[in-house]
Amino acid sequence: MRQCLRTGLLLALLLAPRPGAAGAQADPAALELRARLDYAFTHLDGGADPWHLASLELSRRSAAGTVLARGSVARRFDLTGSQLEVEAYPRLTARTYAFLGAGWSPDELFPGLRMGAELFAAPAPGWEASAGARWLDFRERDVTLLTASVGAYPGNWYLAARPFLALDEGDTSLSGTLLARRYLRDADEYVSLRVGGGEAPAEQLTAAELERVGAALVGVDGRMRLGRRAGVLASLGWEREELPGDRERRRLTAGVGVETRF
């Protein structure tokens, strides 16, 4: 059954016809290509070597939705790992769209295989809700994340809450994040504040996060346009992690990115 689910999600992702972002105008001719390059540097207390993460993302947006491919390379604990991901956001109706995702990595820093699916709907003007799941295969350990979200668009703001219920080898844990985003001139310019807590307050888990018994995070990020076709992104985040043996670890992560449209 599990193998059928994995195969079905992967096929649905790869065969989704010209997927794209919710809210796009129903113009089949509308088409946009984007390229994005990101780099993040993480400082850890206790004298540990810093972490590095770089990624390159190519996306295709149309009236039917968005599809993207992302390649990432990480350096942590004197290990180097890479990951390839594909995601699709097909528009289903005027008020619903979906997320389908899959990722693969040959290295132990990332899950060997990750898959996900989520359905988003707008039950009323200015509101959005979703429900879905993520499945992560860490080769000798599987983690399932059940998640949902509720968001509102008051004026130029986007406010959202997202819980995560992690199922890990018979154990369960509840985490969550809150997001407040202020849009500036348009949807391509914004600043955001995010706070979260729990064992897994993010869906992009790697092997380093599996050892935690608790975490708290706060972060800010933003995007500004550079001319008509380019943009620059920046982020800064702090995390406090609780580890087995009454140990703690703190992270400070700074990220930068550039994006261009074709």
Side-chain angles (χ1 to χ4, degrees), residues 173-175 197-201 209-217 239-244 247-249:
S173 63
L174 183 64
S175 309
E199 289 186 27
E209 282 77 38
L210 284 183
E211 61 182 284
R212 301 190 299 199
V213 295
L217 64 86
E239 293 184 62
R240 179 183 59 82
E241 302 174 300
E242 299 174 13
L243 305 175
R247 294 180 297 127
E248 287 192 355
R249 179 172 61 195

Side-chain angles (χ1 to χ4, degrees), residues 36 38-41 192 219-223 233-237 253-257:
R36 175 172 168 174
D38 291 283
Y39 169 74
F41 174 90
S192 303
V220 294
D221 67 272
R223 186 189 191 280
L233 304 100
S235 62
L236 183 65
T253 300
V256 294

Side-chain angles (χ1 to χ4, degrees), residues 162-183:
R162 175 176 288 275
F164 294 97
L165 179 63
L167 311 177
D168 181 7
E169 296 184 337
D171 296 328
T172 61
S173 63
L174 183 64
S175 309
T177 59
L178 299 174
L179 171 69
R181 173 168 292 173
R182 175 67 161 85
Y183 291 101

Side-chain angles (χ1 to χ4, degrees), residues 153 156-158 181-187 189-191:
Y153 293 87
N156 293 327
W157 288 86
Y158 174 59
R181 173 168 292 173
R182 175 67 161 85
Y183 291 101
L184 304 176
R185 288 186 291 179
D186 55 31
E189 289 195 332
Y190 59 83
V191 290

Side-chain angles (χ1 to χ4, degrees), residues 81-116:
S82 60
Q83 178 178 245
L84 177 63
E85 299 170 276
V86 287
E87 297 179 1
Y89 299 82
R91 182 183 174 94
L92 305 178
T93 70
R95 291 192 175 187
T96 61
Y97 69 99
F99 159 77
L100 297 170
W104 172 82
S105 173
D107 305 300
E108 62 183 87
L109 288 181
F110 296 100
L113 182 65
R114 69 165 70 235
M115 304 193 75

